[in-house]
Amino acid sequence: IEVGFPPQKSLVVFDTGSADLFMDKSSYHPKLSLTSKNLHKPFDFSYASLHVYGDVYIDDVSIGGVKAKQVPLGRGSKDFDGEVTGGTLGLSFATAENRVYGVEQDTFMWAAKKQHPIQSSSFQFTLRRSGKATLNVGDVDHSELAGPISWADKNTDKSFWRTSVELNGNKIENAIIDSGTNVITGPNDQVKAVLDQLDGVWVEQSPDGTYQGRYSCQNPPNLHFTVAGQTFKLSSDAINFGYAGDECFLAMGGTLGLNDWILGSPFMELGSVIFNYDTRRMGFAKAR
């Protein structure tokens, strides 16, 4: 993305599981931007594994040439620990329930629509581990699609993008679609039940009690999701979470104390996923 004027380029994680834009200290320099304004409002927020704090600014933000003015962003008081990128740009619903800043300024997508750089408040992820991955803002790029778009039911959650799916025939209700998570995870016992059904997967229990699976890299298991009436098989790239010799770790594991399934980026590699704020619906299509 580009922030401020003159534009400052930074790599960020596009996160459908959060709503705000955070930049670390070395990725955004407000004193070098003519359009920056300090709101003199501190923020303090913790992701699952990351604590961020600092001050809230407003500035211009551009994604792929789509520019919105006066977008709120939190500049960290230090660089984010353990992060390989310079920030996180949230793409979930910006409501009082899930916003950290508590400011009136619109987040990027709503600001871009109100200011007319885009006609539709939608964005489209087409993730490919091997090949070009794209994020399309403000419209649907039909050249990415290899079939029709199926639309899920209207999202009723005010905070997260949710939908119901079937994973290898197992019904999962109101799962959270979270591009900021790099695995598929859910309640520990439910995940174990799914893992036990997978041919060629060895189920292991870690010292903390959570379950995960391993398999022969030469014989990956068949993981398929049915969502919005279409069935998608995950590629061998999508389900691979790392190697242990000739064995691979499955990109799915249980979490203790978790009531929801979280379908991270491996799920989003099933094809092309479209998020529309206006209709609060997600569309799914096979990718070329």
Side-chain angles (χ1 to χ4, degrees), residues 160-173:
F160 297 109
W161 293 98
R162 290 181 181 268
T163 191
S164 295
V165 303
E166 288 189 7
L167 170 55
N168 285 37
N170 297 275
K171 291 185 178 181
I172 298 174
E173 301 291 344

Side-chain angles (χ1 to χ4, degrees), residues 21 43 80 97 139 163 168 177 205-206 212 239 270 281:
L21 170 58
F43 72 91
F80 298 160
E97 288 83 355
D139 201 358
T163 191
N168 285 37
I177 312 302
Q205 189 172 21
S206 64
Q212 56 277 316
I239 66 173
L270 55 76
R281 299 173 73 196

Side-chain angles (χ1 to χ4, degrees), residues 183-194:
V183 294
I184 295 168
T185 187
N188 199 39
D189 290 342
Q190 294 182 32
V191 169
K192 182 180 184 301
V194 174

Side-chain angles (χ1 to χ4, degrees), residues 7 11-12 18 40 59 63 76 81 84 98 106 110 123 136-137 159 178 216 234 241 248 261 267 274 287:
L11 292 173
V12 298
S18 64
H40 300 287
D59 211 334
I63 303 176
D81 294 336
V84 296
N98 72 331
D106 289 317
W110 286 119
F123 59 95
N136 195 56
V137 179
S159 299
D178 183 7
S216 168
L234 293 188
F241 195 62
C248 289
W261 279 79
F267 167 80
I274 301 154

Side-chain angles (χ1 to χ4, degrees), residues 20-288:
D20 295 299
L21 170 58
F22 295 102
M23 307 286 292
D24 68 23
K25 185 177 181 180
S26 61
S27 294
Y28 172 60
H29 304 280
K31 291 183 179 180
L32 300 180
S33 172
L34 299 176
T35 49
S36 171
K37 180 180 179 181
N38 190 342
L39 297 184
H40 300 287
K41 183 179 179 65
F43 72 91
D44 192 311
F45 177 70
S46 291
Y47 292 96
S49 60
L50 180 66
H51 180 210
V52 294
Y53 57 91
D55 293 315
V56 181
Y57 291 79
I58 54 174
D59 211 334
D60 298 348
V61 175
S62 177
I63 303 176
V66 176
K67 181 179 178 180
K69 298 180 178 179
Q70 296 187 328
V71 175
L73 64 100
R75 186 198 186 223
S77 297
K78 63 176 184 177
D79 289 346
F80 298 160
D81 294 336
E83 289 290 282
V84 296
T85 61
T88 296
L89 196 156
L91 290 168
S92 71
F93 299 106
T95 63
E97 288 83 355
N98 72 331
R99 290 195 70 182
V100 176
Y101 303 152
V103 297
E104 294 182 359
Q105 284 80 7
D106 289 317
T107 53
F108 175 82
M109 288 295 297
W110 286 119
K113 185 175 183 186
K114 289 182 179 180
Q115 296 165 22
H116 307 299
I118 58 175
Q119 293 182 336
S120 170
S121 62
S122 65
F123 59 95
Q124 172 191 10
F125 278 104
T126 309
L127 300 187
R128 300 177 180 89
R129 196 80 57 93
S130 301
K132 184 179 71 172
T134 61
L135 168 62
N136 195 56
V137 179
D139 201 358
V140 175
D141 182 358
H142 289 272
S143 70
E144 294 279 17
L145 309 183
I149 302 171
S150 295
W151 292 94
D153 293 337
K154 183 176 180 180
N155 196 95
T156 58
D157 194 319
K158 293 183 178 180
S159 299
F160 297 109
W161 293 98
R162 290 181 181 268
T163 191
S164 295
V165 303
E166 288 189 7
L167 170 55
N168 285 37
N170 297 275
K171 291 185 178 181
I172 298 174
E173 301 291 344
N174 292 318
I176 296 171
I177 312 302
D178 183 7
S179 63
T181 299
N182 60 359
V183 294
I184 295 168
T185 187
N188 199 39
D189 290 342
Q190 294 182 32
V191 169
K192 182 180 184 301
V194 174
L195 293 174
D196 285 340
Q197 297 174 5
L198 299 177
D199 291 335
V201 171
W202 305 292
V203 182
E204 300 175 337
Q205 189 172 21
S206 64
D208 66 2
T210 57
Y211 294 102
Q212 56 277 316
R214 287 200 294 177
Y215 59 93
S216 168
C217 299
Q218 303 301 318
N219 187 28
N222 178 14
L223 256 68
H224 55 272
F225 282 93
T226 300
V227 53
Q230 289 200 68
T231 298
F232 303 84
K233 180 181 177 180
L234 293 188
S235 69
S236 58
D237 284 339
I239 66 173
N240 185 349
F241 195 62
Y243 298 90
D246 293 332
E247 296 176 359
C248 289
F249 294 101
L250 189 66
M252 182 172 65
T255 303
L256 297 174
L258 185 68
N259 294 322
D260 291 305
W261 279 79
I262 299 176
L263 308 182
S265 55
F267 167 80
M268 294 180 63
E269 291 182 50
L270 55 76
S272 196
V273 186
I274 301 154
F275 301 77
N276 190 296
Y277 284 98
D278 285 327
T279 62
R280 301 178 74 89
R281 299 173 73 196
M282 282 178 286
F284 300 87
K286 290 181 170 62
R288 292 189 186 280

